[in-house]
Amino acid sequence: MHDRAIRRWHVGWSPTVNTALLDVGREPGTTPLDSDSVPCFNLSDIKRLLTKAAAEGTSQLLVEGMEPTLRRDLGAIIRGGSKRGLFMGVRTDGRRFSVPGYAEKMANSGLRYVEVVTSLGEATQDSREQERVFEQACAGLDALIAVG
């Protein structure tokens, strides 16, 4: 397991809040986008990291890495962190939350905040595709707002 899977920082306005990033990498059995540079963590590995983060005093944990909403086990990851007392969030492009019921499913798993990061894509990408991606991200934000 990679020791660098969890990175820490302290929120400047509150020294009592210890926040960590958890790079969940890719799911086992999926093809990496860039050879073996993307770590591969199974759910057991991630649960051990969640336990370690909680034991070390982490209060908030932001799940990131590739696109975490593509992992089939994201709900289990969120649930696992919540059960360990972590305030769970995810950094995403927001598109998956546009799928009906997905935002509610993640909220019910214990997801408490979402950080949406958008990109207009590469210069070679078709402008219609860029527009579609942006519309999906906006629909995902709408779904998140509706869930609360």
Side-chain angles (χ1 to χ4, degrees), residues 2-148:
H2 301 277
D3 288 337
R4 296 181 51 165
I6 295 181
R7 297 185 310 247
R8 300 185 180 286
W9 78 94
H10 292 278
V11 179
W13 53 266
S14 176
T16 61
V17 177
N18 188 5
T19 305
L21 294 173
L22 172 60
D23 185 343
V24 293
R26 61 185 174 88
E27 256 182 296
T30 60
T31 305
L33 298 175
D34 184 17
S35 70
D36 291 329
S37 64
V38 179
C40 180
F41 295 114
N42 62 35
L43 187 56
S44 295
D45 292 336
I46 292 170
K47 285 182 176 180
R48 281 193 294 277
L49 290 168
L50 293 170
T51 299
K52 180 179 178 184
E56 291 177 357
T58 299
S59 55
Q60 293 186 104
L61 195 130
L62 180 64
V63 178
E64 65 169 7
M66 299 207 33
E67 174 51 47
T69 62
L70 296 178
R71 290 188 65 113
R72 293 177 301 247
D73 59 358
L74 182 60
I77 293 169
I78 300 296
R79 227 177 351 272
S82 294
K83 286 180 180 177
R84 289 163 177 79
L86 300 169
F87 191 79
M88 297 296 294
V90 66
R91 179 178 290 155
T92 175
D93 66 12
R95 295 169 62 189
R96 181 79 185 268
F97 288 97
S98 68
V99 173
Y102 188 77
E104 186 174 7
K105 176 183 174 185
M106 291 298 108
N108 290 339
S109 294
L111 184 64
R112 295 297 167 247
Y113 70 102
V114 176
E115 193 176 294
V116 176
V117 180
T118 60
S119 169
L120 294 179
E122 299 177 16
T124 58
Q125 192 176 19
D126 184 321
S127 63
R128 289 174 300 215
E129 175 66 12
Q130 289 177 349
E131 187 175 320
R132 186 179 68 77
V133 166
F134 185 73
E135 287 174 359
Q136 286 176 335
C138 289
L141 285 169
D142 288 342
L144 288 163
I145 291 166
V147 168

